[in-house]
Structure formats: C-alpha cells, structure tokens
Amino acid sequence: MVTGQAGGIIHPVILCGGSGTRLWPVSRQSFPKQFSRLVGEESLFQATARRLSGEGYASPVVVTSADFRFVVRDQLAAIGIAPAAVLIEPSPRNTAPAVLAATLWLERQAPGALALVAPSDHLMPDPASFRLAVAAGARRAGDGGIVTFGIRPHAPETGYGYLELAAAADGAEAVPLAGFVEKPDLAAAKDMLASGRHLWNAGIFLFRSDTMIGAFARLAPDLLPPVTRAVDEAGPDLAFLRLAPGAWDTVPSISIDYAIMERAGDLWAVPYGGGWTDLGGWAAVWSEGDASGDGVVQEGAVLAIGCRDSLLRSEDETLQLVGIGLDGIVAVAMPDAVLVARKADAQRVKDAVEAMKENKVAQATAFRSDRRPWGWFETLATGERFKVKRIVVLPGAALSLQSHRLRSEHWIVVEGTARVTVGGSVRLVSENQSVYIPLGEKHRLENPGQSNMVLIEVQTGSYFGEDDIIRYEDIYARN
C-alpha cells in the first residue's frame, strides 16, 4: 500500500537494534529483549509490528543488524506481517542514521510519505488507543510539522527524558513542543510532574519523509551524503536490503534527538495517557505481570512459599525455581545462568553484564542455544575432545555445504527425516539412524519434511568453534 502526500497512509519504521543488557539473562547481545516474550504471548517486536498495522497503515520498514535479520523475518512471518523492506545496518550508528536511511528509502517509494518511527522494545497494551494518538498527530505531520509522542507521567521518574510543552494539554491533540529535558534529578522530576506541561519522551516520531530529509539537510548536513550513498549503493541480501558498508562506515554515530529533534522547528507533541513502558529493567517486568495478592509474579516452573512483592521466573520447563520467604526479590533462572537481586537493585544488572564481559564469561552475551536462519542448536555437553549438540532444522531448511578442518561429526536423527550429503553421496536418514562425517569431508544437512527435524550431533576433535566452518554453498548467502 503506497501513497503520497495527499494520502493518510502511515508508513511504520521500526528500529530494531539493542545490546540486551538490562534484562539479562533472558535478554543478551545475541538476542536482545525485543525478540523475547517478556509479557504476553508475543515478543515486544511482534507486538510493535502488530500495533502499527491494519487499516490506514502500510507494511513496515524495519532497520536492524545482520545478526537479527532472520529473527525479524521469522517473527514477522509468525504473525502474518510482510515487511515493505528490512534494511540491514552494517554496523551500529545510533538512531539518526537509521531513521535517515529508512526515510530516504521511503521517499523513493512514496514521495512525501507519512513515516512513523518507533522503537521495537516498548510495551503498549492498548494498541487502539495509541493509533488514535497517531491519528491526532497526522494532520500536523502532513502539514510539514514533526510530531513526537509523550507519555503522561504518573510519577517523578528520573530514568526518562522529558518533553516540555508550550502549554498544559488537557486532551490528546497535538500541542506545540517547547523543548527537550534530559533525565532530571528527583527534585526537578517532581516539579515537572506538578507543572502539567511535561511528558516522558517515548522516542516515537511522525513526519513527512521530505520534511525529515530537509531537516537533515539543514541541521545535520554531514550525515546526509554518506547515508544517501549507503542507500544508493545498497544491495540485495536474499529478501533484505544491505546498506553499503563502505559508505556506512563513514557515518557519524548520533541519536535522532541530538541530530535533529532538539534543534528543529515546527515541533509538536501528542500526549498519550494509555499504558506504556520501555521495560527498562526487571522491576518494570514485575510491575506489568499478573501478581498474586502478595505481589508475587510467577512465570514458568515456579513455586513461591511465603513470598511477597517478588518476581520469580523460570525460562525452562525442566528447571524448577523455588522461592521461600522472599521479599522484594527478582529471581530469573535459565539453564546456563541465574539472576538473583533485590528488586530495588535490579537496574544494576547492566553493571554485572559489563563485569562478566571483562572476565570473558560467555553467558554475558550469548546463550547456550544459538539461532540460525535454518533453525537453532543447543550445546548439551562439552569436553576437551568432544562437544554434543541438539540441532533443530526447520521444514524445508538446509545448512550450508561445508567442511571442518579440526573436527569430525556423528549425526543421530531423533525426530523426522534428514537429507544428508557426505562427499558425493546424498541419502535420507530417518529416526534412530545415524551418519558419520569424517574430518575435512564436504557435507550438508537438509530437512525435506513438513515438521521440525531434530538430531544429536557429536563432535570429536581438537577445536569446536563456529569459525571452523568452510562454506562452499549457502542458501542464506552467509560468508
């Protein structure tokens, strides 16, 4: 669905990066919080895409990294949403270059398109109410203004930046924006709460594509040439569009607030009074959970005895988490890591992640299971001369044709049927059958069936890193 300035179609732009530190161990660098099911049955990314869809909305443009492109593809497909484009950033450059790249792409598809930029990791449980707020800002944006959306504060929050309105707003119409306020101390936050002229800055923007490009030309002219070149020279990567890395590497890293919003004119804000949180820590997850009468939120295989005002969460049905007499505690258990903290100190998990990184603790950034475009694998056991994995291959998916210099492999199929290539031989391997892959031999694994295929892989050798893979053919265009 494409329209120009005269139409009222909203073109969502979903920013989908993230470092995955504030909600460790569920969220990590290799799989940040927007892709996790933290509240409800869908991930935050899926809920964002669904919120920005339906009548009056075009297919979304998603800006993400190469590491997350297949997760984006699969999670959108799971909820029946086809993106207009998935733009791959060669490296993180903060929000301003990402917004500009998406805006340039949109302007070429639909000149003067109304673009709605939103983070992918916010929780807004009332989508209809938010769409009404977007409609309230659309006229100002269509007339050439830049509209941002602010959350009506209900507490003197010091963890958010604020929007200062030119006048107190009683309704939900767009009002002139006087300026931006950095994260305040508690005294200033209390004053802003009392003033009635301040909103939490949600980092959501609505504008016409040509308006924003003009703003970059005036206010951040150093960004426009390299980002334009990165879009001009972008190349297809399967169903994705990879921004040109040579041009992108020269782009400065800067936020959209600093580059544009804090210096632009004709700014408007729409107050939003519906539910909203950026789920910036485990205390926020607790506040959004279904608490018992004692304020205990339980998720997964959990037993709470004599606990109050606590979050107990097990991410594995085989891992039983038991809390006894806990008060104001966050306990999150995963097969490879456990977090236990006072709820009041849960924000310090970011410091813990940094400390683990310095100590080269693998769990700081990666999971025991690892997602791939063809499915996923989980490490079950490791030793000096062996590693055992469970590998799940999606229907119709295939691993690359590859070989290894330092290890051999033994595959045992436990569910489904595998099509296995070893050297010049191709054969089907069914449940309870196995195949041996000698060191150095070219091989490939495929799932020709209609359901997941599962096998156990036993590696033996002197090195088991994922970099000991020589790829010869790959349907996912990986190196």
Side-chain angles (χ1 to χ4, degrees):
M1 185 180 295
V2 177
T3 187
Q5 292 182 16
I9 299 301
I10 304 295
H11 294 256
V13 173
I14 303 176
L15 305 182
C16 204
S19 57
T21 58
R22 293 188 292 175
L23 289 172
W24 186 91
V26 171
S27 169
R28 306 186 198 180
Q29 183 175 311
S30 64
F31 199 75
K33 71 175 181 179
Q34 65 263 30
F35 300 123
S36 301
R37 288 192 294 271
L38 292 164
V39 178
E41 295 302 314
E42 293 180 339
S43 73
L44 295 174
F45 169 64
Q46 289 173 312
T48 300
R50 194 184 292 281
R51 181 168 63 250
L52 306 182
S53 65
E55 184 177 356
Y57 286 79
S59 297
V61 177
V62 181
V63 185
T64 191
S65 71
D67 291 341
F68 304 142
R69 65 194 190 278
F70 293 109
V71 180
V72 165
R73 177 201 66 183
D74 294 343
Q75 291 205 353
L76 286 179
I79 59 174
I81 293 178
V86 177
L87 306 184
I88 300 175
E89 293 181 288
S91 56
R93 285 295 184 269
N94 214 316
T95 53
V99 170
L100 179 56
T103 303
L104 288 166
W105 185 90
L106 266 179
E107 175 68 9
R108 295 170 190 187
Q109 314 305 312
L114 281 175
L116 177 64
V117 175
S120 59
D121 58 356
H122 290 182
L123 178 67
M124 303 179 79
D126 186 359
S129 178
F130 177 70
R131 285 193 285 265
L132 288 176
V134 173
R139 183 174 66 85
R140 295 295 182 185
D143 289 341
I146 298 177
V147 178
T148 186
F149 297 83
I151 310 303
R152 291 189 182 276
H154 54 75
E157 176 62 55
T158 60
Y160 300 140
Y162 283 71
L163 306 174
E164 181 181 359
L165 306 179
D170 295 328
E173 295 301 314
V175 295
L177 181 63
F180 291 77
V181 181
E182 295 290 338
K183 295 176 182 179
D185 59 26
L186 183 58
K190 288 179 177 178
D191 289 343
M192 287 189 287
L193 179 64
S195 75
R197 294 194 303 110
H198 292 83
L199 309 171
W200 292 336
N201 184 1
I204 303 172
F205 308 104
L206 179 64
F207 50 80
R208 231 170 51 194
S209 55
D210 54 345
T211 297
M212 184 55 71
I213 293 169
F216 271 94
R218 293 190 309 274
L219 303 173
D222 57 326
L223 288 175
L224 192 55
V227 175
T228 300
R229 195 165 77 253
V231 175
D232 287 343
E233 299 172 5
D237 179 343
L238 300 177
F240 316 109
L241 186 65
R242 187 182 292 269
L243 300 171
W248 194 258
D249 287 345
T250 68
V251 175
S253 178
I254 186 172
S255 73
I256 188 69
D257 279 358
Y258 289 144
I260 302 298
M261 298 301 295
E262 294 184 1
R263 297 184 291 148
D266 200 10
L267 295 177
W268 299 80
V270 175
Y272 176 68
W276 173 89
T277 175
D278 68 349
L279 287 183
W282 284 113
V285 176
W286 169 82
S287 68
E288 294 296 326
D290 185 12
S292 67
D294 293 322
V296 178
V297 175
Q298 303 178 53
E299 294 287 344
V302 165
L303 174 63
I305 299 175
C307 299
R308 62 186 303 274
D309 293 332
S310 295
L311 171 66
L312 279 71
R313 185 180 182 111
S314 172
E315 294 293 320
D316 189 315
E317 62 183 12
T318 66
L319 198 162
Q320 182 69 37
L321 175 62
V322 179
I324 301 175
L326 302 180
D327 188 350
I329 295 295
V330 169
V332 182
M334 299 193 71
D336 65 337
V338 177
L339 169 69
V340 181
R342 292 192 307 172
K343 187 149 55 71
D345 292 329
Q347 288 284 2
R348 296 176 61 189
V349 69
K350 190 173 183 179
D351 299 331
V353 172
E354 290 305 314
M356 286 188 290
K357 287 181 180 179
E358 290 180 7
N359 292 325
K360 295 182 170 50
V361 177
Q363 291 95 322
T365 58
F367 292 95
R368 194 173 70 177
S369 60
D370 203 339
R371 289 165 175 82
R372 291 290 188 267
W374 43 260
W376 59 275
F377 68 82
E378 177 185 15
T379 301
L380 302 178
T382 58
E384 185 176 345
R385 297 284 301 176
F386 74 91
K387 176 181 280 190
V388 181
K389 294 181 178 178
R390 177 170 57 149
I391 297 177
V392 179
V393 184
L394 301 174
L399 281 68
S400 60
L401 180 66
Q402 59 185 254
S403 66
H404 308 293
R405 294 182 296 265
L406 302 172
R407 67 176 184 257
S408 59
E409 296 173 344
H410 191 172
W411 294 342
I412 305 99
V413 176
V414 294
E415 290 183 29
T417 298
R419 181 185 292 119
V420 175
T421 300
V422 180
S425 171
V426 181
R427 65 188 179 98
L428 295 177
V429 180
S430 301
E431 290 183 14
N432 206 30
Q433 294 180 333
S434 63
V435 62
Y436 174 66
I437 315 296
L439 184 148
E441 188 73 86
K442 290 184 180 179
H443 59 280
R444 189 203 305 269
L445 176 66
E446 303 171 74
N447 179 4
Q450 301 299 312
S451 58
N452 288 351
M453 184 270 292
V454 184
L455 60 83
I456 302 299
E457 177 183 81
V458 180
Q459 302 175 356
T460 58
S462 59
Y463 179 73
F464 310 107
E466 292 301 304
D467 53 346
D468 183 27
I469 297 177
I470 303 171
R471 288 194 174 95
Y472 304 96
E473 298 175 9
D474 184 46
I475 64 174
Y476 306 108
R478 295 170 296 173
N479 294 325

